[in-house]
Amino acid sequence: MTTAPFGTVTVEPFGDSAVMVTVPHAEQAVRRSAIVAFRDRFLAHRPHGVLDVVSGLESLLIEFDPLRTAPEHVEYAVRLLARWAPGDGPELPRTVREFAVPVVFDEETGPDLESVAEEVGLHPAEVVEAIAKSTFTVALLGAAMAPMMDGLELPGPVRRRAEPRTDVAPGAIMIAGDNAIIQPFPGPTGWRVVGRTPHTIVDISRPDPVSFGPGDVMRFVPVTRDEAAALDADFLLPVEVSL
């Protein structure tokens, strides 16, 4: 383990062409924020031979080409970057973007809303209110670049479905544990579906398929079906650049 400005970093081999980086700490919030901070630093100073960096909620998988570099070289780079104190090296500043995401919460768009309410001991309208009051932070981009977020504030964690849904519509707002995620494309999921946004979350025809990244903040704003239909809801953009 190596002491870092945000705690300690553990580097472990992951097969013969990757290493796994974690931040051991008793508090989940610290582990998650620290790994995001280290990810940003590592990407700003990406070492030779690194092929990909895969974010987890509390881990960072660094994949490398074993013909171009060696595990010990990657590990050395990780430890070197972790030892930098603020100001020791050039950092790329990143502005946190904020998103106000309109969401329709009803029986059709949120088929799991009632069962979630029963599970946490609230009325469905109170669940919607709690979701709207929650401030979600993008922890990582999951499958198909879906934003996986921390910050759900309900009386308790939400269980996943015992039987996954086979086809969830794009824009579906889904929750599990104390996390939320937005479904970018049609597909199966075991997360609980509670609403839907009319916005396009991922557009692979654009040079930048998504407008968000780890560390950005999202808030879900309840709207009616008529209000959603009246919106010029296209590609999701941050609040400051929304048209």
Side-chain angles (χ1 to χ4, degrees):
M1 293 191 296
T2 300
T3 301
F6 37 77
T8 58
V9 171
T10 299
V11 186
E12 298 178 343
F14 199 86
D16 59 0
S17 59
V19 296
M20 182 73 75
V21 181
T22 54
V23 178
H25 196 280
E27 296 183 20
Q28 182 187 76
V30 173
R31 296 195 301 268
R32 293 185 175 185
S33 62
I35 203 64
V36 169
F38 182 78
R39 173 187 177 276
D40 290 345
R41 172 174 291 189
F42 187 84
L43 289 176
H45 308 281
R46 192 183 185 114
H48 172 76
V50 169
L51 299 176
D52 198 9
V53 176
V54 183
S55 297
L57 281 173
E58 299 179 15
S59 63
L60 196 68
L61 180 67
I62 301 173
E63 300 176 347
F64 58 87
D65 183 350
L67 299 179
R68 298 170 58 197
T69 188
E72 57 268 26
H73 296 158
V74 177
E75 181 174 349
Y76 174 77
V78 169
R79 295 186 183 279
L80 182 64
L81 288 170
R83 280 197 297 268
W84 277 0
D88 279 356
E91 299 284 350
L92 295 182
R94 184 186 184 283
T95 301
V96 173
R97 291 160 292 193
E98 297 187 3
F99 296 80
V101 185
V103 180
V104 176
F105 295 96
D106 61 22
E107 292 183 0
E108 181 179 340
T109 63
D112 293 317
L113 188 57
E114 186 172 347
S115 64
V116 167
E118 292 177 359
E119 181 179 327
V120 299
L122 297 176
H123 186 275
E126 293 175 311
V127 173
V128 172
E129 182 179 1
I131 292 173
K133 288 182 177 178
S134 299
T135 299
F136 295 95
T137 302
V138 179
L140 61 93
L141 302 189
M145 295 178 280
M148 183 177 292
M149 296 166 277
D150 296 327
L152 177 62
E153 296 186 7
L154 286 174
V158 177
R159 294 192 299 268
R160 293 184 180 228
R161 286 180 54 87
E163 183 177 344
R165 296 186 182 278
T166 58
D167 190 19
V168 176
I173 308 300
M174 307 182 296
I175 59 177
D178 58 357
N179 305 113
I181 196 168
I182 307 178
Q183 182 88 337
F185 303 109
T189 184
W191 290 56
R192 310 283 279 280
V193 181
V194 294
R196 189 186 309 157
T197 179
H199 278 291
T200 298
I201 303 303
V202 178
D203 185 351
I204 59 175
S205 69
R206 297 172 64 95
D208 295 318
V210 298
S211 57
F212 45 78
D216 289 338
V217 171
M218 290 194 185
R219 294 179 176 84
F220 295 139
V221 181
V223 296
T224 66
R225 284 180 171 271
D226 289 342
E227 289 170 335
L231 292 172
D232 185 16
D234 192 6
F235 186 65
L236 180 66
L237 293 172
V239 170
E240 61 269 23
V241 296
S242 296
L243 300 179

